Amino acid sequence: MTERDHELLEVSELRKYYATDDSVLDRLLGRSSRSVKAVDGVSFSVAEGETLGLVGESGCGKSTTGETLLNLTEPTDGAVRFDGQRLTEMDGASLSRFRERAQIVFQDPFSSLDPRMTAGEIIAEPLVIHDREGDNRERAKELLDRVGLSPGQIDRYPGEFSGGQRQRIGIARALALDPEFIVLDEPVSALDVSVQAQVLNLLDDLQTEFDLTYLFIAHDLSVVRHISDRVAVMYLGEIVERGPVESIFENPQHPYTQKLLESVPRAETGERGRRVDALRGDVPSPRSPPSGCRFHTRCPYAREACREESPESVETGDEGQQAACFRAVDTHPYWRSVPLDHADAADEEPTASGDD
């Protein structure tokens, strides 16, 4: 794990809201327009050379967070600082330099590569855009070799590669400009399990070789544990828990984190945990999130205080671990009378399920 000497990326109260068209019923009833709160007050930092895993269910705002902090979509509010400089204060030259230093690998290796371009053209495209000097074709060959593909495949088109090979091309493209920071947006979720391990090992090797800093976005906690130094757990636009990877996995404090971990297969026993969809109830709409703690509608421990008050993120005992939950630490008067191991019928011990 890297020493946290220098924060390369600092995100403070980041928000991204999307305006939505009102339905016919909304207009007839005179309802006011509401925005989709995709990202709603997210704060975190990533130290130089480390990997922060950002996890949560689909639709929680993870990918939007990654795109917004790279300025691929304009934030509604909040601040993003890269190497101490605020993105909104960057001019043309400094913004162009930032785009060289910060890159992204997208989730879907099938749609993120232009089918009309060869592998070499795809990898060299950033070099052309930023007017880099040198032999772009030779640079592309070097990168193909570095990500485990043959330089002889440089003139092949994406359709001639497997999913894992296409993702390696996407990684090579992200490396073309010698970046320092890479957002990895679900980079292995579309791949077979055996291929996932190969790509994760490649990312580990590249991080060491090129001194890279990663924001690794995923919904699969077992993948996150393999590659991350620290983890931030996101739910409905907010971060509900964060901390060192071992603390999060061995001593989760937020009920949502606990439920997510129950869905991870138990390798040591051969059992399969409950799936994420075992969480009771549906995910509320980000257009109209619940009051108080946003997880209270699905939480087996929720009480009146959770419905009325939004818990602040507080230290939970383990060094560097924080959770936004009244139950995590005895900070709210109500919880002094509620046993921490209390659970209703919806939170009974999971039983191993058979194969689907």
Side-chain angles (χ1 to χ4, degrees), residues 107-110 163-164 167 186-193 195-196 219:
Q107 174 180 359
D108 188 355
F110 296 94
Q167 197 61 296
E186 302 259 16
V188 299
S189 64
L191 308 178
D192 293 338
V193 174
V195 180
Q196 287 183 6
H219 64 272

Side-chain angles (χ1 to χ4, degrees), residues 336-355:
R336 293 173 188 159
S337 61
V338 179
L340 292 185
D341 60 354
H342 175 80
D344 60 17
D347 196 47
E348 294 175 355
E349 282 296 315
T351 57
S353 60
D355 290 335

Side-chain angles (χ1 to χ4, degrees), residues 187-208:
V188 299
S189 64
L191 308 178
D192 293 338
V193 174
S194 59
V195 180
Q196 287 183 6
Q198 296 170 15
V199 173
L200 288 173
N201 288 334
L202 172 65
L203 291 170
D204 263 341
D205 293 342
L206 293 173
Q207 183 173 37
T208 300

Side-chain angles (χ1 to χ4, degrees), residues 61-195:
K62 306 183 302 295
S63 294
T64 302
T65 298
E67 293 172 2
T68 305
L69 63 86
L70 288 181
N71 209 31
L72 298 179
T73 181
E74 187 176 351
T76 303
D77 197 8
V80 178
R81 289 180 173 83
F82 185 80
D83 204 10
Q85 187 174 6
R86 189 164 176 164
L87 260 63
T88 54
E89 297 173 352
M90 292 182 179
D91 57 20
S94 59
L95 186 59
S96 178
R97 176 58 183 145
F98 165 73
R99 295 197 185 282
E100 294 182 35
R101 299 174 67 189
Q103 292 287 309
I104 186 169
V105 174
F106 294 100
Q107 174 180 359
D108 188 355
F110 296 94
S111 63
S112 62
L113 305 182
D114 190 332
R116 300 165 297 180
M117 299 174 68
T118 65
E121 291 169 337
I122 290 169
I123 295 170
E125 185 178 26
L127 300 170
V128 175
I129 292 173
H130 288 271
D131 198 25
R132 286 288 187 93
E133 297 182 357
D135 190 328
N136 291 347
R137 186 175 175 84
E138 285 303 311
R139 174 63 172 160
K141 285 183 177 181
E142 292 173 5
L143 289 169
L144 278 171
D145 180 64
R146 185 59 198 85
V147 298
L149 297 175
S150 169
Q153 296 174 302
I154 191 170
D155 292 319
R156 292 187 182 181
Y157 290 88
E160 301 177 71
F161 294 94
S162 68
Q165 289 173 327
R166 292 188 195 193
Q167 197 61 296
R168 289 172 186 265
I169 294 172
I171 294 169
R173 175 176 58 186
L175 292 173
L177 294 169
D178 298 310
E180 299 161 50
F181 175 69
I182 300 180
V183 172
L184 300 162
D185 187 6
E186 302 259 16
V188 299
S189 64
L191 308 178
D192 293 338
V193 174
S194 59
V195 180

